[in-house]
Amino acid sequence: MDAETALDDSYFDYCPWDFVDRASAGQRAAQDAHQRRLADSGARLGPRCYVSPAAGVFTGTLRLGADSYIAGHAYVTGEVTAGDDCTVNPYATVRGRITLGDGVRIGAHSSLLGFNHGFAPDRPVHRQPLTSKGITVGDDVWIGSHVVVLDGVTIGDHCVVGAGAVVTKDLAPWTVAAGNPARPLRDRRAQVGPRRDRAVSGALPGKLPDDLSDGPSGDQSGDLGDAVARFADRARAQAADLIARCWNPDTGRYTDRPGAPATVRAHCDAVEIADLLLGSPPEQLAADEHAERLRALQDPGSGLVPEFAPDGGPGVLPAPAADGWIDDGTAEYHVLAVGYALDLLGSRLTQPVHVVRRMTADQLLARLGSLPWRTRTWSAGAWVDCWATGAHRNLELGVEDGEPGALEALFGWLTTRVDPWTGMWGTAESPAAGRLQLVNGYYRLTRGSYAQFGLDVPYAERVVDTVLAHGRDQRWFTAGRENACNVLDVAHPLWLAGRRDGHRAAEVRAWAEEQLTRALGRWRDGAGFGFGPAGEGGGGPGREPGLQGTEMWLAIVWLLADLVGVADRLAYRPRGVHRPEPARSPGFATPG
C-alpha cells in the first residue's frame, strides 16, 4: 500500500474488517508479531484473523477460526472458542466460558458474561464464589449493540438479538428476540421484512401493500406467493397502456417516460416488457417493423449501435482507440439490449460486432489489464459484458474471431485474476461506498461471460459471502434507498452462485423475501416501476416510473421470487438481457 492510501493503525481498531484488504506491509508485520505473542500464551488463530493490540485479551484459552477478528477496546477473558467469520466489535466484553459457532456477530458495547457471582446473605458479594455454566452461541447469529447475555444461556443457530436486549433464557434457532428480559418476537424464516417507516413507494417495506395481501387491511400474514400472483395479474393488465404512454407517435420512437428524449434502450425495454407480460411485440409496430428498425441502427463499420443524436437523427460514434475499440458506454450496452430485443422478435443482428471480431487475443489481454479494476470495477465489468456478448453474437452469425483463441483467452484471464477470498474481480472498496463497485462490477462481468456461456462461476461460496455482506449495507439497501441496479446486482449473483450448493440458503431467502416485498410495493398503476435513486456517482433515470425501471424490476422480481420459491406464481420468465438461462451451451459452440 502506498503512502497516499496508508491508514493509521487506530483505524483498524475500529474497522478491523478492512485489515486483510487495506493494511500496509508494516501493519501486517506488526499484527503477525502480536499474534505470535498471543500464540506463546496458548492462543490458536486461524488464517486472516485480526486481534487489535488495543483489545484487552487475557484468556486461558483462545481459539479463533478463519476470518475472525477482535476489535479495539474489546475485553476478552476466560475460555473463548469461536468458529470462522466471527466478530467481536469495539468495546464488547466476552468473558468466561464462551463458545461461538460460525458467522457470529457481536455488536459494539455488548457483553457475553459466561460466569456469575453468588449473592447469599452470609458473606459480602466480593467474597462470594464464582460459578460458570458457560454461554453457547450457534452459527449465523447477530447480537446487536448493547446486548447483555447472561451465564448459562444458549442462543440457537440463525438467531437475531435486538440492540439493548438482556438475554436471560435460551433462544431457539431462528428466533428474533428483543427487550429486557429478551422475548422472542418471531421466527426469522417467517419474516417477510422488518417494519420501518413508510417508504417512498408508499408501502411499508415489511408489509405487503393492501391490495396485494390476503387480509382485508393488508395483514402481513398474507401469503407472499399469492401477492406475487396478484402483482403479475395487475402488471399484465396494465402492460399495454404503460408501453403506449412512452410511444411518441410524432417521431415514431419510444421514450423512457413521457417528456424524455427518444433512446435506443427505450425501444428495447418496450420489446422486453411486452414479451414478459403480453407474450407479443409492442402493439405500436408489427414484429418485423420493430426488428427492421433495430437492425438498421447498427453501425456498419464497428458493429456497435450508437445512441440517437440530440436532434433524433442517427448517432455518431467516437474515433477508435489504438486497439480498434470504440469507447462509448451507451453503444456498448446496446450490444446487449438490441441483440436480445431482436432475439425476442425472432430476428438477429445483420452483421458481426466488428470491434470484437477484429481484436486479437494479445489486444484483448492488454485491454483487460488496462481496465479500471481498482477504482471503477463496474465499468471494467461492463466492458467484459459487452465484449463477451459481442463474441456470442458473432458466434451466432457463424463469424470467427480475428485471431483464434480470443474467447478462451478472456476466460483464462478471468480465471487467473479472480480473488479467492471474495470470488470477485477488482478491489474497488471504499469507506464511502463499501462493496458497491465490487459487487456491481461482478454482476456485469459474470452476466456476459460465465452466465451467458453457461459456465460455473469460480469460488461460488465466497461470492455468496461477499454479496450477502454487501446486501446488508444500509447505505444502499434500506427502504427508499434501493435502486434497480443495486438490487439486481445482488439478486443475480445470489441466484447464479447460491443455487449450486445452497450455501447460506436461509440468509439468501430472507434477504430475497424482504426485497421482494418492497419491490411489489413500488409498482405505480398505469406507469410501472421507477428505477430509483441514483447510486454512487449518479446514473439511472431516477425515481419516476419508466420503461427502464419497469423492465429491470420485472426481472428482479422474478429473480427474488425464484430465490424465495414462488417464481411460478408470476407466470413469466425473463428471456432477454436478464434471462436466467445461458444464451448458449458451454464450449462456445454455435447452437444448432
Side-chain angles (χ1 to χ4, degrees), residues 91-467:
Y91 300 100
T93 297
V94 178
R95 303 190 63 196
R97 289 198 300 113
I98 309 293
T99 302
L100 309 178
D102 294 333
V104 176
R105 296 291 184 268
I106 300 173
H109 299 279
S110 287
S111 297
L112 276 64
L113 305 176
F115 66 95
N116 206 349
H117 278 280
F119 52 91
D122 61 338
R123 69 188 77 178
V125 170
H126 73 276
R127 296 189 181 279
Q128 295 283 346
L130 291 177
T131 60
S132 181
K133 299 177 182 178
I135 293 172
T136 301
V137 180
D139 296 337
D140 177 37
V141 173
W142 177 16
I143 297 173
S145 297
H146 295 277
V147 169
V148 177
V149 182
L150 299 185
D151 187 37
V153 165
T154 294
I155 299 177
D157 295 345
H158 313 296
C159 286
V160 174
V161 182
V166 178
V167 185
T168 61
K169 296 181 179 179
D170 292 354
L171 296 177
W174 295 103
T175 299
V176 178
N180 181 6
R183 299 178 304 279
L185 300 180
R186 55 184 169 270
D187 187 303
R188 265 183 67 192
R189 292 165 294 187
Q191 180 184 1
V192 175
R195 293 179 178 268
R196 297 188 180 94
D197 293 338
R198 185 166 292 271
V200 171
S201 66
L204 284 171
K207 173 179 179 293
L208 297 174
D210 289 351
D211 47 3
L212 293 179
S213 63
D214 286 331
S217 60
D219 185 352
Q220 193 170 2
S221 65
D223 178 74
L224 188 55
D226 288 344
V228 161
R230 283 189 288 275
F231 157 77
D233 289 343
R234 178 196 292 180
R236 203 168 285 113
Q238 299 175 21
D241 289 340
L242 71 86
I243 293 172
R245 75 190 277 268
C246 298
W247 169 258
N248 187 333
D250 296 331
T251 62
R253 286 179 174 162
Y254 291 94
T255 64
D256 182 69
R257 55 199 179 281
T263 62
V264 174
R265 177 166 185 164
H267 193 159
C268 299
D269 287 337
V271 171
E272 293 241 16
I273 294 166
D275 181 81
L276 270 179
L277 298 179
L278 303 173
S280 63
E283 62 186 14
Q284 287 72 33
L285 300 169
D288 58 350
E289 292 179 284
H290 281 291
E292 182 179 354
R293 290 195 181 193
L294 291 173
R295 287 196 305 265
L297 299 174
Q298 195 176 15
D299 173 59
S302 66
L304 299 176
V305 179
E307 186 57 272
F308 298 129
D311 62 1
V316 177
L317 292 167
D323 60 5
W325 190 263
I326 296 176
D327 290 298
D328 184 316
T330 302
E332 290 171 1
Y333 186 80
H334 290 164
V335 174
L336 285 60
V338 173
Y340 277 102
L342 287 171
D343 284 349
L344 299 178
L345 295 166
S347 184
R348 61 177 57 177
L349 295 171
T350 56
Q351 56 186 309
V353 183
H354 296 297
V355 292
V356 172
R357 180 179 62 84
R358 296 170 186 149
M359 186 170 277
T360 67
D362 286 344
Q363 289 173 328
L364 171 63
L365 295 176
R367 169 68 68 150
L368 288 168
S370 70
L371 294 173
W373 297 104
R374 291 181 61 84
T375 56
R376 291 183 294 116
T377 313
W378 186 92
S379 296
W383 190 90
V384 173
D385 191 2
C386 172
W387 194 95
T389 301
H392 158 58
R393 293 301 171 193
N394 292 347
L395 287 170
E396 186 177 58
L397 293 172
V399 177
E400 296 292 336
D401 296 334
E403 179 180 78
L407 189 58
E408 288 79 358
L410 170 70
F411 283 100
W413 192 94
L414 294 175
T415 300
T416 57
R417 299 307 194 280
V418 64
D419 182 349
W421 305 119
T422 64
M424 307 267 142
W425 289 267
T427 56
E429 186 170 345
S430 68
R435 300 175 179 87
L436 183 68
Q437 281 276 333
L438 191 66
V439 172
N440 288 15
Y442 180 87
Y443 162 68
R444 284 300 305 269
L445 184 151
T446 55
R447 193 224 70 86
S449 55
Y450 292 88
Q452 187 165 228
F453 283 86
L455 302 173
D456 288 339
V457 295
Y459 305 109
E461 291 189 357
R462 299 291 77 76
V463 171
V464 173
D465 294 341
T466 302
V467 172

